[in-house]
Amino acid sequence: MKDIEKVTVIGSGTMGRQIGIVAALAGFTTSIVDISEDALSAAKDELHRRMDRDVEKGRRTREDVDAAFARLSLTTNQAEAVADTDIVIEAAVEDIDIKRKVFAQLDEQSPKHAILATNSSNIVSSRLADATSRPEKVCNMHFFNPVLVMKACEVVGSDQTSQETLEAVENLAVAMGKDVIRVRKEIPGFVANRLLAAIRTEALKLYQDGYASFEDIDTAARSALRHPMGPFELMDLVGIDVAYLIRKAEYDQTGEEDSLPSPVLEKMYNSGNYGKKTGQGWYVYDEQGNKVRPSDV
Ligand code: CAA
């Protein structure tokens, strides 16, 4: 297998943009692709802000940051971006039909040797592999939010993924500074998100049944368990839409009532308040993304 030199990320949202800059910082020629120019420009602005802050704080040098931006391109032209890529990391919306369409396109547009990975933690790659002609090169490569900070990366193959593919993806994750968690067989949510889901489900239930306010449940997680954030704060960071769609995707795969999103999560999702990215979720945020107060839910 050819060494990975060029990385393409599909989607410039919260995850995609940071996966892209982490790959560029690690020395890979990187493209971030999105269908929306506005989304790309928002991604570029945020990445520049974050990198400027890192330089200011002495966490990175200006030279390293400039070199990373020189290796990074943001584009709406997917066909051109993937034409010479060695791997694609898809980080588009958590929707199986959209992902299958994207994987079919990527299969046509990218070189035969290219690996096609998805950042999804709930849509396992065996559900995408048959949309391509290269199931042995399809797998999950799952990062955590915020990708610039969180060290973990779960790597998961289906029955059809080759060992060679998994090794190449693990090596890439290590080169990107990540700790690899190899998940030995597919299960929606993999390891970390299943642990997280157990806490989130219990938190939503405690709140919904009136045992405590969501602020107090967050305080308990932070002050009693030393979690860096409470489960409601974390939902706002990850996105209420993502938290909701993850449950829906799990239900679609398991058919179990327990997998369904809880009614309070569904209500929040339907209100269109998706958390930090829309300025309001469980909490209200100012323009800089600082938490201002609990929202009136
Ligand atoms: N992007 C990049 N860097 C960020 C960031 C972001 N969104 N938020 C914070 N940081 C970095 C910055 O370097 C920041 O330092 P500066 O403010 O000096 O620039 C530093 O982290 C510390 O940030 P804060 O002081 O604002 O707050 P904090 O100490 O609480 O750290 C946190 C923030 C790193 C997000 C921390 O609260 C944390 O680890 N929270 C838990 C995150 C978590 O559990 N993530 C997993 C989610 S599950 C998932 O991602 C899977 C999925 O499938 C969706």
Side-chain angles (χ1 to χ4, degrees), residues 37 40 44 52-53 68 78 89 101 105 107 123 126 138 154-155 163 195 198 208-209 224 243 249 261 266 279 282 286:
E37 291 280 4
L40 288 173
K44 199 172 176 184
D52 286 349
R53 190 165 167 93
Q78 178 177 298
I89 306 170
K101 269 191 209 132
Q105 281 169 5
D107 189 43
I123 297 175
S126 55
V138 177
E154 292 172 320
V155 178
Q163 208 51 37
L195 297 177
Q208 187 169 294
D209 294 349
E266 183 144 35
W282 294 103
D286 65 18

Side-chain angles (χ1 to χ4, degrees), residues 26-270:
F28 297 95
T29 304
T30 307
S31 292
I32 302 178
V33 178
D34 205 302
I35 46 174
S36 150
E37 291 280 4
D38 286 351
L40 288 173
S41 130
K44 199 172 176 184
D45 288 351
E46 196 216 325
L47 293 179
H48 276 284
R49 258 199 328 274
R50 294 227 173 263
M51 291 302 108
D52 286 349
R53 190 165 167 93
D54 280 1
V55 172
E56 238 168 66
K57 291 236 164 177
R59 289 190 286 245
R60 301 180 201 280
T61 65
R62 175 56 65 193
E63 276 169 355
D64 286 351
V65 164
D66 287 349
F69 279 116
R71 283 188 285 266
L72 179 69
S73 54
L74 292 95
T75 176
T76 52
N77 192 335
Q78 178 177 298
E80 198 175 279
V82 301
D84 60 347
T85 202
D86 300 311
I87 182 167
V88 181
I89 306 170
E90 172 274 323
V93 66
E94 280 296 284
D95 178 310
I96 179 87
D97 297 328
I98 294 175
K99 284 190 197 293
R100 285 183 64 85
K101 269 191 209 132
V102 170
F103 268 67
Q105 281 169 5
L106 293 171
D107 189 43
E108 285 193 358
Q109 296 167 339
S110 54
K112 283 285 161 241
H113 74 271
I115 293 172
L116 306 181
T118 174
N119 177 53
S120 180
S121 63
N122 258 71
I123 297 175
V124 293
S125 75
S126 55
R127 302 183 74 211
L128 304 172
D130 66 337
T132 77
S133 62
R134 58 182 96 185
E136 74 289 354
K137 294 188 185 299
V138 177
C139 70
N140 288 75
M141 182 181 196
H142 179 227
F143 294 88
F144 292 82
N145 186 348
V147 183
L148 276 159
V149 180
M150 306 307 279
K151 290 272 290 173
C153 180
E154 292 172 320
V155 178
V156 196
S158 73
D159 289 348
Q160 298 184 79
T161 314
S162 72
Q163 208 51 37
E164 215 184 6
T165 298
L166 291 175
E167 273 164 26
V169 172
E170 284 181 20
N171 289 340
L172 172 64
V174 171
M176 289 169 72
K178 301 301 175 196
D179 297 332
V180 171
I181 298 148
R182 183 181 267 210
V183 182
R184 291 181 179 153
K185 48 184 181 172
E186 292 186 329
I187 180 166
F190 306 138
V191 174
N193 271 0
R194 290 186 75 84
L195 297 177
L196 188 61
I199 295 171
R200 183 177 294 164
T201 302
E202 190 57 29
L204 285 162
K205 191 165 158 30
L206 286 168
Y207 167 63
Q208 187 169 294
D209 294 349
Y211 290 103
S213 66
F214 62 83
E215 305 99 287
D216 279 356
I217 297 170
D218 277 346
T219 304
R222 273 188 275 100
S223 307
L225 306 176
R226 277 219 182 189
H227 290 188
M229 286 181 152
F232 294 92
E233 293 166 324
L234 190 53
M235 268 183 265
D236 276 0
L237 174 74
V238 167
I240 303 286
D241 52 337
V242 175
Y244 173 83
L245 292 171
I246 281 175
R247 301 301 291 177
K248 289 287 272 188
E250 186 171 324
Y251 177 72
D252 288 346
Q253 290 176 82
T254 64
E256 287 166 14
E257 292 282 309
D258 281 357
S259 304
L260 277 169
S262 79
V264 276
L265 182 58
E266 183 144 35
K267 188 172 155 216
M268 181 67 82
Y269 174 77
N270 289 334

